Amino acid sequence: MTPVELSRTVLRAVRRAVDEGELSVPVPARAVVTPPGPGGSGDYATNIALQLARPAGRPPLQVAEILRPHLSRTEGVVAVEITGPGFLNIHLDRAAVTALVRRIQGAQGAQGAQGAQGAADGQGPDPLPYGHSDTLAGQVVRLRIPYDIRAEVVADALVRIVASQGGRVEVEHARPRPRPRPSDEPGAPGRPGKVAEPDRPGAPDEATTDVPVDLRPVPAPEDPTPLGPDALRWALLHPAAHDRPRITADLLVQRAGNPLFRVRYAHARARALTRNAAALGFTGTPVTPNPLPAPLTTPDVTTPLVTALTEYPSALARAATHRAPDRLARHLVVLADALLAFQHTVLPRGDEKPSAAHRARLALAEAAGTVLAGGLSLLGIDAPAYL
């Protein structure tokens, strides 16, 4: 269950309480669901009870007590706790984590197994890789870009990102504007006095299938080619279109302050965990219905990783619909940081023997590595297994 789905679940619980006469409040348009803060517990927490306390004319704790049973009866929720002044802390069924891992692994396995068969049959592989969808099926996005290296790189990434959502991108170059002649200047004899607004850099708002969309990200301040292909692409894709990219040697340094390094290192660590586990005689298989038992798992590091994985499809879809590769790049950083924090719980320590929990954690780490590799591939960046 993703945070978006859980937010809808919270709103449905409020609506049920209102329909049954337990609360007399207007149902809000949205409910904020976040990882629990200090003093909290569970996978997610919401302050909806505090939000409704004033319009309901009741103390937040009383509102939370009314909503708790409605939330507890939701499929996928195993427990709901009340903490602090009225926060609802939600514990999810860990079987959902198993389903998530199997979904990622299944899509990856089917993609590889059916790719050759699809090529032989003249059909594309099915099911789609994790995060891919048909949201933009049948849509053609026509991009008009200037002759600029950053615009070229952004357009190249968008071709793959939009295709991941079923759409297609056509790229054309804007003709260089001729320099105005003196007689063309505003206010000259026979010329109007109105001055047209210059094009402003940045990503457009909406795509259409018949009118070309001007894509004019802020150009790089200097030639980025000395960075090499991977660092060059990251330098031009990671900032938002309206931000000026930084072309510095820091992108080549292997340290935590370099987000490109963290993303590629996290992927390499996932592959290293697979190799190390094989040396210890076990593989990553989520075979148990409860793959992350509480005694062997630290929710502080597990929940952010699961959240980042569940939010990846929506991040990829937003990158496609808003024509913003930076959204995908930034989400990969979030996923990488969560995996790097989680990696230390995967392998047995000391004399500890590999267990079902270790196999499940390894499967979760491998799934994260698969998603990181797929995201980097969409950006046109290599994901090495050794780093």
Side-chain angles (χ1 to χ4, degrees):
M1 185 179 297
T2 68
V4 173
E5 294 170 336
L6 192 55
S7 176
R8 298 192 189 111
T9 297
V10 172
L11 292 179
R12 284 195 294 269
V14 174
R15 191 170 292 110
R16 284 195 297 268
V18 171
D19 292 343
E20 295 177 13
E22 297 173 298
L23 287 176
S24 179
V25 294
V27 179
R30 61 187 295 265
V32 177
V33 175
T34 61
S41 62
D43 299 286
Y44 295 99
T46 177
N47 65 345
I48 190 67
L50 285 75
Q51 180 181 342
L52 297 178
R54 183 181 294 274
R58 296 169 180 261
L61 284 173
Q62 192 176 107
V63 176
E65 289 289 357
I66 293 173
L67 295 177
R68 177 161 62 174
H70 294 288
L71 278 173
S72 299
R73 290 194 293 266
T74 303
E75 182 179 358
V77 175
V78 295
V80 178
E81 293 182 70
I82 300 174
T83 60
F87 291 101
L88 288 162
N89 291 256
I90 304 169
H91 298 255
L92 298 180
D93 185 356
R94 288 298 178 184
V97 180
T98 300
L100 173 65
V101 171
R102 285 177 175 159
R103 180 182 171 191
I104 296 173
Q105 292 177 334
Q108 181 69 13
Q111 183 76 1
Q114 297 185 18
Q117 183 65 35
D121 298 341
Q123 298 177 352
D126 183 39
L128 297 172
Y130 181 69
H132 292 220
S133 74
D134 57 358
T135 302
L136 301 180
Q139 295 191 29
V140 179
V141 180
R142 296 176 58 195
L143 296 179
R144 183 166 52 200
I145 64 173
Y147 288 93
D148 171 72
I149 187 171
R150 188 183 185 196
E152 299 275 3
V153 169
V154 171
D156 177 70
L158 285 175
V159 169
R160 287 184 293 273
I161 292 173
V162 172
S164 76
Q165 304 304 302
R168 182 165 61 89
V169 171
E170 294 180 352
V171 181
E172 62 183 62
H173 287 84
R175 294 180 180 178
R177 296 179 179 179
R179 299 181 63 180
R181 295 172 299 177
S183 60
D184 294 331
E185 293 293 336
R191 304 300 299 175
K194 183 178 179 180
V195 179
E197 292 186 3
D199 288 341
R200 289 174 295 178
D205 293 329
E206 296 181 350
T208 61
T209 58
D210 53 350
V211 179
V213 177
D214 284 320
L215 185 71
R216 295 178 177 271
V218 175
E222 56 187 284
D223 181 14
T225 53
L227 293 176
D230 290 328
L232 176 151
R233 297 184 71 87
W234 183 268
L236 301 181
L237 293 173
H238 182 255
H242 57 268
D243 291 331
R244 186 175 298 278
R246 296 176 60 252
I247 310 301
T248 67
D250 291 344
L251 290 168
L252 303 176
V253 178
Q254 296 189 2
R255 60 185 180 193
N258 179 1
L260 172 60
F261 169 72
R262 296 206 306 275
V263 173
R264 301 176 82 197
Y265 179 64
H267 170 263
R269 284 301 304 150
R271 301 296 175 246
L273 290 171
T274 299
R275 297 191 297 268
N276 294 338
L280 294 175
F282 73 99
T283 59
T285 306
V287 294
T288 63
N290 185 17
L292 299 169
L296 296 176
T297 302
T298 305
D300 290 346
V301 295
T302 303
T303 300
L305 179 57
V306 174
T307 300
L309 285 172
T310 55
E311 291 180 345
Y312 174 77
S314 61
L316 181 55
R318 289 194 298 270
T321 55
H322 293 277
R323 297 181 296 281
D326 57 287
R327 297 193 178 207
L328 172 59
R330 289 197 298 271
H331 189 78
L332 292 180
V333 176
V334 173
L335 175 57
D337 290 343
L339 175 56
L340 291 174
F342 176 78
Q343 62 168 326
H344 305 292
T345 70
V346 174
L347 299 177
R349 296 182 179 182
D351 296 332
E352 189 178 13
K353 300 297 182 182
S355 66
H358 293 113
R359 292 196 296 273
R361 292 182 201 146
L362 177 60
L364 181 59
E366 290 174 335
T370 297
V371 174
L372 285 172
L376 286 172
S377 177
L378 290 174
L379 297 177
I381 298 174
D382 182 44
Y386 296 87
L387 195 62

